[in-house]
Amino acid sequence: AVKAKGFVQCGVNTGLAGFSQPDSKGVWKGLDVDVCRAVAAAVFGDANKVRYTPLTAQQRFTALQSGEVDVLSRNTTWTVTRDTSLGLNFVGVNYYDGQGFMVPKKLNVKSARQLSGATICVQPGTTTELNLSDYFRANNMTFKPVVIEKLEEVPHAYFSGRCDVFTTDVSGLVSIRASRAQAAGDHLILPEVISKEPLGPAVRHGDDKWFDVVKWSLFATLEAEEMGLSSKNIDQQGASKDPAVQRFVGATGDIGKMLGLDNRWAVNIVKQVGNYGESFDANLKPLGFERGLNAQWKDGGLMYAPPVR
């Protein structure tokens, strides 16, 4: 169905710097956007054959379930409920995260344990909202939620003083604080990380072939980084005598055909989108993100792809 219409319809965030946001020319960029571009490069040989649908946290699952989008690549946490009762298949993790809290430095708060009684800005329909309640209940603390659906309106509410605290994934806090350059130094991200948030793209149940294509498109970006293959050197790697590289670039074997793709599917991804590290460095590093858990496994992180063989 995707091949027939000639493009990938990708559900993304309404605007989160570093993950999915249009630039001044209206071009979508970010770590999540690059997943969509990788899929398009694999399927069509052209990373630009993507149409983006901005979705709020409450809209995202319905859009995928209904077929409005082919892929949801929108900083979404992989949970058992979403994997089963919502009928989603998470293809992997493209960012390991955790939930945190941001507060104005003038409050002189150094720990989340000091937040009892605070008003807290949070998005509905998110694991963030559930984790917040669990954390405060477990620590015998109270809070007053300020629930705001649209992500772009939550920072405005927080920075304008409607709430004492802003809680979301730490990546979101770093991104949003960085986007407020003038006020960034006046706000502190507290040290506590209160949850595991493995974020990743998802497709809907029922199409195993599409699931395979999206899954291995993500894995190809991770495998390429591990193998030292990048957008700068991928063209030269066709002459490599390394059997693993030969399989990756399609010089030997039929991995592309197994996926229903051209044998150069992985080359197209790396050449046009880059490996995972290139995407991270282009989108997140300028905002102050460090690799941390999202480093390759051989560098002490959690990023690990099954072998392309």
Side-chain angles (χ1 to χ4, degrees):
V2 171
K3 281 190 175 181
K5 65 186 179 185
F7 59 88
V8 178
Q9 193 76 44
C10 197
V12 293
N13 200 301
T14 52
L16 182 62
F19 289 87
S20 55
Q21 189 175 53
D23 65 13
S24 58
K25 297 180 180 178
V27 178
W28 283 88
K29 293 185 177 179
L31 194 76
D32 289 337
V33 168
D34 279 352
V35 173
C36 307
R37 298 180 66 242
V39 174
V43 175
F44 299 109
D46 185 348
N48 294 319
K49 290 196 172 182
V50 186
R51 294 185 184 176
Y52 300 98
T53 301
L55 299 168
T56 67
Q58 290 187 311
Q59 295 168 337
R60 57 186 164 172
F61 300 126
T62 302
L64 183 58
Q65 291 163 337
S66 68
E68 181 184 348
V69 298
D70 304 308
V71 183
L72 180 66
S73 187
R74 185 208 175 281
N75 60 303
T76 298
T77 304
W78 188 347
T79 71
V80 66
T81 302
R82 292 169 176 178
D83 210 349
T84 55
S85 62
L86 291 187
L88 309 186
N89 279 334
F90 283 84
V91 305
V93 176
N94 74 325
Y95 193 87
Y96 287 96
D97 209 345
Q99 184 173 334
F101 300 94
M102 183 162 65
V103 298
K105 287 183 179 178
K106 64 183 180 182
L107 288 185
N108 201 30
V109 170
K110 303 299 182 186
S111 166
R113 297 294 182 91
Q114 297 174 266
L115 295 179
S116 189
T119 57
I120 302 180
C121 282
V122 63
Q123 268 192 292
T126 60
T127 55
T128 305
E129 186 180 30
L130 302 175
N131 295 334
L132 176 64
S133 296
D134 287 350
Y135 181 79
F136 273 73
R137 189 182 304 116
N139 288 287
N140 296 314
M141 294 158 52
T142 62
F143 71 98
K144 181 180 178 181
V146 178
V147 180
I148 302 168
E149 179 180 349
K150 293 185 178 179
L151 176 63
E152 61 269 25
E153 294 178 5
V154 186
H156 178 72
Y158 167 73
F159 286 112
S160 65
R162 278 186 60 193
C163 50
D164 305 313
V165 185
F166 181 13
T167 186
T168 189
D169 299 336
V170 173
S171 62
L173 297 176
V174 173
S175 174
I176 289 163
R177 184 174 66 172
S179 70
R180 300 269 179 155
Q182 292 180 326
D186 297 328
H187 297 269
L188 176 70
I189 297 173
L190 298 177
E192 289 86 356
V193 177
I194 67 168
S195 69
K196 295 179 293 184
E197 304 292 333
L199 309 178
V203 297
R204 59 188 166 274
H205 281 178
D207 189 340
D208 287 348
K209 289 185 177 179
W210 180 238
F211 177 45
D212 287 344
V213 167
V214 179
K215 173 172 56 182
W216 284 100
S217 295
L218 171 62
F219 288 158
T221 67
L222 296 171
E223 184 84 338
E225 183 182 20
E226 181 179 341
M227 296 170 68
L229 306 177
S230 71
S231 59
K232 297 177 178 63
N233 67 22
I234 191 68
D235 279 337
Q236 288 75 48
Q237 294 303 317
S240 172
K241 291 182 169 52
D242 184 329
V245 173
Q246 287 186 333
R247 283 192 297 271
F248 189 92
V249 302
T252 61
D254 289 318
I255 290 174
K257 291 179 182 178
M258 294 175 193
L259 291 165
L261 304 173
D262 185 276
N263 244 22
R264 288 178 58 82
W265 66 282
V267 172
N268 291 333
I269 291 174
V270 178
K271 186 173 182 177
Q272 297 179 39
V273 184
N275 64 39
Y276 180 82
E278 288 180 286
S279 179
F280 190 103
D281 288 349
N283 295 299
L284 298 180
K285 195 173 181 179
L287 299 177
F289 284 76
E290 297 180 359
R291 286 294 293 264
L293 293 177
N294 297 291
Q296 285 277 339
W297 64 277
K298 61 182 181 179
D299 297 322
L302 298 177
M303 282 301 177
Y304 188 105
V308 178
R309 66 174 304 152

